[in-house]
Amino acid sequence: MQSNYDALIIGGGLHGLSSALHLARAGLKPVVLEKDYPGRHASGVNAGGVRRLGRHKAEIPLSVAAMKLWREIGELTGEDCGFTPCGQVKVAETETEMAGQRARVESLVAQGHGHEELIDAKELRSLVPTIAPHCLGAIVCRDDGAADPFRTAMAFARAARAQGASIQDGARVQSIERRDGLWRAATAQGRFAAPILINCAGAWGGEIAARLGEPVPMRTQAPMLMITERLAPFLEPVLGAAGRALSFKQFSNGTLMIGGGHLGRAEPARNATHLDFAALSRSAQSVLALFPALRGLRVVRAWAGIEGVMPDGIPVIGPSETREGVFHVFGFCAHGFQLGPITGQIVAAWAQKKPMNLPIAPFRIGRFA
Amino acid sequence: MPIDSPFRRLPDAQARTLAFTFAGRELEAREGDSLAAAILAAGIATTRHTPVSGAPRGPYCMIGLCFECLVEIDGEPNRQACMVEVRDGMRVKAMQGARGLGKGPADE
Amino acid sequence: MSDPVPLIVIGAGPAGLCAAAEATAAGVETLLLDEQTAPGGQIYRAIGRASPERQAILGSDYGRGARLLEVLDSGCLDYRPSASVWQVTPEREVYFTIAGQAQSLRAERIVLASGAMERPMPFPGWTLPGVMGAGAAQTLLKSSGLLPGGGAVLAGSGPLLFLVASQILDAGGRIAALVETTPRGNSMRAMPYLPAMLRMPSYLTKGAVLLARLRRAKAPHFKGAHNLSAQGGKRIEFLRFTAGGRDHDVPCSLLLLHQGVVSNVQITRALGLAHDWKPLPRAWQPRLDPWGGSALEGIAMAGDGGGIFGARAAELQGRLAGLDAAYRLGKLTQAARDAKARSVQRALAAERAARPFLDRLYQPAAEFLNPADETLVCRCEEVTAGQIRGFVKLGCLGPNQAKSFGRAGMGPCQGRVCGLCVSEIIARARGADVQDVGYFRIRPPIKPVTLAELAAMACAGPNDAK
């Protein structure tokens, strides 16, 4: 029995790795129990958006705090994670969408948040010269951006290890129990024990919560992404649309990534996803509606990740309300990547019984009861 | 027209002659030639420069697997020259790095 | 989607043509999709339009393909050439594009006959223009009557290398050198399997004839060559290698490489079928039953896509898959299928008898399986063998992580050219088995498809997005 750990972290995605890094930096010794390998699922294959734009109001304080960490991501992890503050743009195509965007920006400003900014058609065209002429304007977050998700997961893993965290690959958790003041997990790589347990199991987080006697109404989803052949530079910011399921970005290597929530089918028990070509067809239609000039661009690869989705569209972040020494961080509803750096800090504050200076009450696990 | 081509035609290749251009040069093909075959027959080895390093590349597999023979055909970028038969009057260019917006097959 | 097609056959080489022939003969309405502009596959490429002179050069084995085309006259067959199949799903939907129009059809049964490809032969300089597959040169000869006019060097190993050399000479071409890389120990290892091979004497006679042809032509013939590198600025200028204890630089304007053929596993991988690593031909093989059936209901594979046994075996496997499809679709009784299959199965067993000998004799040299650091392995994304070894040092466990570490296998060819080599390099670097290291997860579309084609499909699906 290995009991010389301070925390068991279930899940080696970005939230688990960030938790490991922040705990290790605080002088604690965590162990990450990862059933496959770090960054294997949503953390490694997501669209890489580093976005405050359009966040649910409850997420804004966390997202703003995370953004500060992203700007110094090299200091936190030792490498740049491919982060570029290329900006994020959300396009409005109709007067109704434009009015909705104006109302959102005004209400955010009233609450003291100035990161979202409304721009008109002229400025939109200067930011995105190839956009279809019918677009009326957009919300922009000029210093939002994007990063390389797998590199980010690897950077957090390396930094966490360098600070003394242990990361166990292939350590699927077979059983969890609390005995003699310790959480004990039996895994495919042996047994581990520690006084606290962090549930960062992503799309499998609901299953872990249920095993701890705290079931939540989480569903799994398989958001699909497409990558195109390389194209000469034509788009700087990450682009979304108010009225369409679209997220659209050009990497520095020239390839375009097309996502936005078109769904395939998830089979979490088999680690598998299946594509839905009718939905990919609609995804392609969305792209062409905004960028008719891309008709001849070729898609070279499509895939789907597995995501945990909560009924109210925001994650579970907070201590267990029934068990001692458990903290949940899962169910990010396909927009958890940008929050990764800050959730680890929240976990570390809780583990050290420090005051929580970010408002996490809206994410409590008990809200579904 | 072949200049220094490592290939020559068998005398039985009697098919009709077609004309096309590659990088502005007027070249001949035989009906039924793949575009890659016609380009190689003309002594041209390089059909693209890669988007990664700019290195020159030419047809390698001739059966549509390797994507080394990507060319621009009548304004449409990144076509596999080995999978397209030459048509009279085709205007073909080598790909130089990543494609531009170009146009799609449906725009022809 | 409309009513399913009873049978879709993908690929119009010997396996696909024979599968279609048996199925249509039993009255099965069959759709035959093929990526090439004319039927015959790679082995019988352009067979329908080759002149008698060209057929004579290409030999009787090539001419044999002509009679396979008779199926195209069947009233039950819908043959569509120039069809780029870009996705096949386990639910038997086939997505393909013809002339810029994408469409999808559902089938009750599918026979995949997607064939083989030359095993890529990576070594320093192999990406220079003017370096091609020997099979690629044969394609040029078959379909365009193009012949290496002189200054061609052939390098590598395997029966096709000798066949191509001999065809070039028969057609009046010249060869600057034949550079054999077959490791010297191979023939010793192959010898115990010679008796089985002798049951197929045609192979040996063919081999002897080819070697005699090469000797008559007095082309320089190097054996046991190693340390190959292709040298040149903008295109190949010479091949450098060591043989017989000496270094050689052989000038050439064309370098034709070959080290055997391997299954093209793109479709079977994209379908998620189980594949086994065969250490002897050093290649992956999808797991199939004796009729070519896979673990997916209604999806079978025939021909070299299911393991390399050659064109005649592909015909026979195609017949078996076609007969089985006809039986499963209610057009043949089980007894009728079995009766028709009996002689086919016997002939297939005989064809397979030669493989253990050939696989050992022509096993590629280590330097082309696990190449030198400076070798570009992933041609599309320009990732070297040394970089892949570097990923392993950073914790990369397999090919799918190699994609994330450094884009190996993520270019337009989708790993077709580098896949085998990336798995081999990682396995050696980790000291692990290739089977455990695994292969790229192949993501659809398996051929690039334009946004316009995809958007135009616009069929309503059950799984609507938000």
Side-chain angles (χ1 to χ4, degrees):
Chain A
M1 166 70 62
Q2 304 179 48
S3 59
N4 50 341
Y5 293 107
D6 296 314
L8 303 185
I9 300 171
I10 302 181
L14 184 56
H15 298 287
L17 298 168
S18 171
S19 299
L21 174 58
H22 285 284
L23 286 168
R25 277 161 63 104
L28 301 178
K29 188 157 171 55
V31 58
V32 176
L33 307 175
E34 163 53 46
K35 72 179 171 60
D36 297 304
Y37 55 80
R40 161 70 178 85
H41 290 288
S43 294
V45 300
N46 69 77
V50 178
R51 168 178 70 79
R52 291 164 301 171
L53 196 161
R55 289 268 165 196
H56 187 288
K57 285 191 177 160
E59 286 181 356
I60 290 173
L62 276 63
S63 182
V64 168
M67 206 66 216
K68 291 192 181 116
L69 296 178
W70 275 107
R71 285 193 203 104
E72 295 158 6
I73 201 74
E75 283 164 44
L76 185 61
T77 67
E79 71 147 296
D80 68 13
C81 300
F83 172 65
T84 49
C86 54
Q88 290 249 357
V89 176
K90 193 171 200 174
V91 174
E93 296 172 78
T94 65
E95 289 297 348
T96 317
E97 287 170 15
M98 201 62 197
Q101 294 209 335
R102 188 171 298 116
R104 175 176 168 93
V105 170
E106 282 166 6
S107 108
L108 286 178
V109 168
Q111 292 165 54
H113 296 302
H115 56 275
E116 293 193 16
E117 188 187 330
L118 194 69
I119 60 169
D120 62 10
K122 189 161 166 257
E123 191 171 0
L124 172 60
R125 240 163 293 287
S126 77
L127 280 176
V128 188
T130 42
I131 193 109
H134 71 274
C135 295
L136 299 176
I139 294 183
V140 298
C141 267
R142 295 184 196 268
D143 52 359
D144 277 6
D148 180 329
F150 189 79
R151 266 175 68 189
T152 303
M154 288 295 103
F156 273 86
R158 259 196 302 279
R161 277 194 173 114
Q163 295 281 341
S166 166
I167 299 170
Q168 302 284 329
D169 293 356
R172 180 186 289 275
V173 171
Q174 290 148 347
S175 68
I176 319 167
E177 57 169 353
R178 183 153 178 106
R179 192 155 37 82
D180 307 329
L182 291 179
W183 283 103
R184 295 158 195 273
T187 78
Q189 301 295 326
R191 294 170 176 279
F192 299 87
I196 59 174
L197 175 73
I198 321 290
N199 172 14
C200 295
W204 295 264
E207 190 186 315
I208 299 292
R211 282 209 231 170
L212 294 166
E214 223 167 6
V216 286
M218 191 189 88
R219 293 177 299 120
T220 54
Q221 268 188 358
M224 298 187 291
L225 290 170
M226 294 190 278
I227 287 275
T228 71
E229 61 193 346
R230 290 172 199 254
L231 179 67
F234 99 117
L235 177 68
E236 172 84 19
V238 182
L239 194 126
R244 297 176 189 278
L246 177 69
S247 157
F248 190 58
K249 164 180 172 45
Q250 183 170 32
F251 291 107
S252 57
N253 66 28
T255 59
L256 284 181
M257 175 184 275
I258 301 164
H262 293 274
L263 298 180
R265 189 161 54 81
E267 243 189 297
R270 288 185 51 227
N271 272 359
T273 56
H274 305 275
L275 300 181
D276 177 338
F277 282 85
L280 283 180
S281 176
R282 288 191 294 279
S283 182
Q285 286 172 341
S286 282
V287 172
L288 296 184
L290 293 183
F291 296 98
L294 297 181
R295 292 183 55 75
L297 193 66
R298 290 174 186 80
V299 173
V300 297
R301 197 161 56 248
W303 73 92
I306 304 182
E307 267 291 336
V309 177
M310 309 311 299
D312 53 6
I314 56 174
V316 173
I317 305 172
S320 164
E321 297 180 7
T322 58
R323 308 298 298 267
E324 192 191 341
V326 173
F327 198 88
H328 296 288
V329 186
F330 68 91
F332 280 82
C333 316
H335 52 256
F337 180 64
Q338 189 261 352
L339 299 174
I342 198 68
T343 53
Q345 206 175 74
I346 292 169
V347 165
W350 169 82
Q352 297 171 89
K353 302 190 168 58
K354 286 190 175 165
M356 195 71 64
N357 41 25
L358 285 166
I360 60 166
F363 309 107
R364 51 182 282 262
I365 192 164
R367 70 185 191 268
F368 306 105
Chain B
M1 187 75 212
I3 305 161
D4 235 12
S5 172
F7 293 96
R8 63 178 177 79
R9 293 273 180 185
L10 287 180
D12 82 315
Q14 297 295 352
R16 196 164 71 91
T17 301
L18 306 173
F20 72 104
T21 67
F22 182 83
R25 266 176 68 190
E26 302 219 352
L27 300 174
E28 270 184 8
R30 301 294 172 87
E31 190 162 36
D33 273 353
S34 71
L35 183 52
I39 292 170
L40 288 168
I44 294 164
T46 298
T47 46
R48 71 171 184 132
H49 287 87
T50 67
V52 179
S53 70
R57 296 283 173 86
Y60 177 77
C61 78
M62 290 304 294
I63 60 171
L65 297 171
C66 74
F67 290 75
E68 291 288 17
C69 62
L70 297 177
V71 292
E72 181 183 305
I73 303 176
D74 294 330
E76 193 196 344
N78 278 356
R79 299 289 307 275
Q80 290 181 281
C82 73
M83 300 301 285
V84 177
E85 283 192 7
V86 179
R87 288 189 318 272
D88 227 354
M90 261 184 176
R91 280 174 321 200
V92 185
K93 287 184 195 163
M95 290 301 303
Q96 303 291 346
R99 61 172 286 170
L101 289 175
K103 63 175 191 178
D107 301 330
E108 276 170 22
Chain C
M1 225 173 266
S2 48
D3 280 350
V5 181
L7 175 64
I8 295 181
V9 177
I10 299 172
L17 288 168
C18 288
E22 289 295 345
T24 54
V28 176
E29 297 285 334
T30 301
L31 172 63
L32 175 59
L33 298 175
D34 189 51
E35 191 178 19
Q36 305 294 333
T37 51
Q42 297 312 330
I43 186 91
Y44 302 129
R45 194 175 171 113
I47 184 70
R49 52 191 189 203
S51 68
E53 293 96 315
R54 200 176 303 172
Q55 289 205 25
I57 291 165
L58 291 164
S60 59
D61 277 349
Y62 177 70
R64 181 186 160 82
R67 61 180 180 78
L68 299 181
L69 303 186
E70 285 162 19
V71 60
L72 300 177
D73 301 326
S74 163
C76 286
L77 187 78
D78 177 1
Y79 162 61
R80 300 193 206 173
S82 300
S84 168
V85 172
W86 46 268
Q87 169 70 337
V88 179
T89 71
E91 294 76 29
R92 298 189 300 282
E93 293 151 333
V94 178
Y95 292 77
F96 58 100
T97 294
I98 297 177
Q101 296 292 316
Q103 52 187 310
S104 69
L105 289 170
R106 204 177 130 83
E108 287 178 57
R109 304 198 70 82
I110 294 173
V111 174
L112 306 169
S114 41
M117 53 183 269
E118 290 189 275
R119 180 198 293 276
M121 188 171 159
F123 60 83
W126 76 307
T127 51
L128 279 172
V131 182
M132 305 179 76
Q138 202 191 31
T139 297
L140 289 167
L141 182 58
K142 288 173 184 169
S143 55
S144 293
L146 282 177
L147 182 70
V153 168
L154 281 85
S157 66
L160 185 69
L161 190 73
F162 297 107
L163 177 62
V164 171
S166 151
Q167 286 172 339
I168 291 172
L169 296 170
D170 284 346
R174 277 203 324 108
I175 290 174
L178 178 68
V179 179
E180 237 190 300
T181 59
T182 312
R184 292 213 175 264
N186 279 16
S187 47
M188 286 297 288
R189 279 189 287 275
M191 223 30 90
Y193 299 86
L194 187 59
M197 167 92 177
L198 291 175
R199 278 188 255 130
M200 295 294 293
S202 64
Y203 277 91
L204 280 189
T205 355
K206 259 190 263 177
V209 168
L210 293 181
L211 285 174
R213 180 75 193 80
L214 291 173
R215 269 195 300 274
R216 273 204 313 282
K218 299 195 167 62
H221 183 172
F222 299 90
K223 291 185 183 171
H226 51 279
N227 289 337
L228 269 63
S229 65
Q231 304 280 338
K234 289 180 175 165
R235 58 190 289 174
I236 178 77
E237 290 164 22
F238 58 94
L239 176 69
R240 174 169 291 172
F241 57 93
T242 308
R246 284 180 46 210
D247 294 339
H248 303 265
D249 282 346
V250 180
C252 53
S253 55
L254 186 64
L255 173 59
L256 303 177
L257 305 179
H258 184 78
Q259 56 169 351
V261 291
V262 292
S263 300
N264 180 351
V265 295
Q266 220 69 7
I267 289 187
T268 48
R269 284 281 179 183
L271 273 165
L273 292 174
H275 288 65
D276 294 312
W277 173 252
K278 299 288 174 184
L280 198 62
R282 301 204 79 79
W284 298 97
Q285 208 169 294
R287 214 171 285 165
L288 303 171
D289 70 23
W291 299 94
S294 75
L296 291 168
E297 175 56 34
I299 300 184
M301 161 63 84
D304 276 353
I308 303 300
F309 297 99
R312 294 195 183 196
E315 287 181 28
L316 300 166
Q317 289 170 320
R319 295 203 181 281
L320 293 179
L323 288 169
D324 190 50
Y327 157 61
R328 308 269 170 192
L329 291 163
K331 297 288 189 179
L332 277 183
T333 64
Q334 188 169 359
R337 176 198 70 174
D338 293 350
K340 283 172 183 283
R342 220 157 284 138
S343 64
V344 181
Q345 285 157 335
R346 263 197 310 275
L348 182 58
E351 282 296 328
R352 286 180 158 159
R355 289 318 304 185
F357 178 78
L358 293 175
D359 286 345
R360 283 173 177 80
L361 184 61
Y362 292 118
Q363 177 160 5
E367 74 177 84
F368 311 115
L369 297 171
N370 188 36
D373 275 353
E374 68 269 31
T375 309
L376 276 182
V377 170
C378 169
R379 298 172 64 111
C380 298
E381 296 296 323
E382 302 189 36
V383 186
T384 65
Q387 282 172 302
I388 294 166
R389 293 183 185 109
F391 304 156
V392 173
K393 288 203 184 96
L394 291 173
C396 172
L397 299 170
N400 292 299
Q401 282 170 291
K403 289 186 189 177
S404 305
F405 272 95
R407 295 193 58 80
M410 290 181 95
C413 97
Q414 294 159 307
R416 283 169 172 84
V417 178
C418 67
L420 278 169
C421 193
V422 169
S423 294
E424 290 257 13
I425 292 171
I426 295 175
R428 303 276 177 111
R430 281 184 52 199
D433 224 50
V434 180
Q435 178 82 40
D436 297 332
V437 162
Y439 193 72
F440 290 131
R441 273 189 292 279
I442 300 303
R443 309 293 199 182
I446 57 170
K447 293 286 281 197
V449 56
T450 67
L451 284 168
E453 287 164 25
L454 196 53
M457 296 193 67
C459 36
N463 197 353
D464 221 333
K466 58 185 168 188

